[in-house]
Structures are given as C-alpha cells and as structure tokens.
Amino acid sequence: MENINKLENIKRPWVVAHRGYSARFPENTASAFDAAISAGADMIELDVCITKDRVPVVIHDQTLERTTDGAGMVSELNLSELKKLDAGSWFSPEFKGESIPTLEEILLQIRGKISVNIEIKPETYELAGPPDAIEKKICIMVEKFGLKESVLISSFEHSFFPKIKFWHKKDKVKNSLRIAPLHEKEVSEENALNLCKETDAYSFHHDEKFLTPSLIEILKKNQFRTIAYTINNENRIEELTQWGVTGIITDDPEIMWKVLRKLKSFE
Ligand code: G3P
Ligand code: MG
C-alpha cells in the first residue's frame, strides 16, 4: 500500500523492510526493494547519501568498500563513476551487475506500489543549507513525483527537520512531509516526548533495545507513533507487536509475516 494514511488503519505493526529485503538480497538495491514488495512489506526503508555532482543516491555507508567493488568516499565520486561499480557481488555472485541506485530511480520503481521511509544520512547535513542541499533535493523530488502521501523522512541528524518544514512553507505546499527523528541511545520518556514535540514528528524511530511498553504508551497518548529498528528475532517481533508499536523495521519481512500470522495479526 503506497498511501501512509491507509496504513494508519492497520491494527498490526507495519512491516518495514530495512534497506529492502536485505536478509536475502543486497541491501539498498533495486532487487532488494522489489523483493520487499513481493514479500508483502508495508514500507521500505532506504539510506540516502549525495554524490560529488550532487545526486542523492541510495547507499548506507559513506565509503564504498563494504557494499561495492569500489573504494573511497561516495561524496568524492560523480554519479557516472559510481554507476560503474558492482553493488551486488559482495552479497552473492548471483547479484553481480546490480548498481548503486539513485533515489530518483527507486522512487520511480516503487511509485504506486509501496510507501517509503527515506533516511537521510547525518554526514550529508550542511549547516549553510545551500540551494542544492540534499533535503531540498529530496523535497523537490517527492513533490515532482506526487509522492507526499507515500514518504516518511527520518534522520539521526534532527537539524534536517526544520529545513524540510521550511522548504515546504516556502514552496507554498500546504502540509509538510512526515518526518521522524531517529534515536539510538537510551532516552527518558520526557526527553523522547519533547523531541517528538520539538520536531513536530510523525513517528519516533528508536533502537529496539531501549524501547519499553510505557514509552510506547506515553508517545501514543500524545499522538506519536513508535517505530522500532532493527529486529529479525521472532520472539522480539512478537513482544513488540504485543507492546503496540506502529511499525517494525526488519531485514526479513517474511520472518515478520510469519510471526504476525502466528499471532493472527493480519489487519
Ligand atoms: O532507519 C532505521 C535504521 O536503518 C537506522 O540505522 O544504520 O541501519 O541506517 P541504519
Ligand atoms: Mg537506515
């Protein structure tokens, strides 16, 4: 389902495919996102960095070594150079020839099929906010493709959020994009709530290790959704489903569906 409004009516946690179906396909590639759609995920999660010639590309690390046959920084190569790299063989020889996708390519690929959590990597943040800043490019792209109701933007760098809200006001867009602060350390309930209020968050994306039923409850009472990352363990998926999280970010949407079926939590 591509419209996030519609996902809001679902009682079970949303199945959010972390970097696509990354348990079985090379993360953040076209095939990982297609596989996530086929596996019945509700949303894909992807990571965005920027090239030297200022094109948003879908890759997790700032460096190329782990997930490609290239070397060095993503931000120091032009798109044409990055496109020559193999982003599939590191995972398995059967994915040889998979390339680093641009964000635009993936948005076109998934449009009308599934919603998307775009995570902007903190290293791409530019305090000066140049006219071609990554957050502005993303806002323009989302508008251009009519994807506002399908997109949720998250980041560990919370300074992106006022800028995203600003670009929308400036462009006279009625409602801003949905945004979600990511958080990776233990946080008090009060601080989590304040962060959600200050950033005008749609959802709070927290490392699953630090979630508690009462934090989820307090956020829910204040109209904030909680999305947990990253869980592949069946017992933990079951526990967080029972705690009432809005979504679970997982490398393996099929494992999550297995748990939801067992719990008879289909809708
Ligand atoms: O968006 C959740 C999760 O992806 C955040 O951490 O490092 O996997 O991008 P990371
Ligand atoms: Mg991520």
Side-chain angles (χ1 to χ4, degrees), residues 106-125:
I106 298 302
L107 292 182
L108 288 172
Q109 176 186 335
I110 59 122
R111 183 158 68 161
K113 297 180 185 155
I114 196 167
S115 55
V116 53
N117 172 193
I118 300 174
E119 182 191 340
I120 315 180
K121 285 294 161 199
E123 297 82 356
T124 64
Y125 180 70

Side-chain angles (χ1 to χ4, degrees), residues 135-166:
E135 71 278 9
K136 185 169 189 200
K137 281 180 168 268
I138 293 173
C139 289
I140 291 169
M141 214 182 282
V142 168
E143 266 324 299
K144 187 173 102 184
F145 296 145
L147 285 171
K148 226 172 98 232
E149 295 307 322
S150 308
V151 166
L152 171 57
I153 306 249
S154 66
S155 189
F156 287 109
E157 175 51 80
H158 303 161
S159 315
F160 275 125
F161 302 139
K163 297 195 176 203
I164 289 168
K165 304 261 168 191
F166 171 79

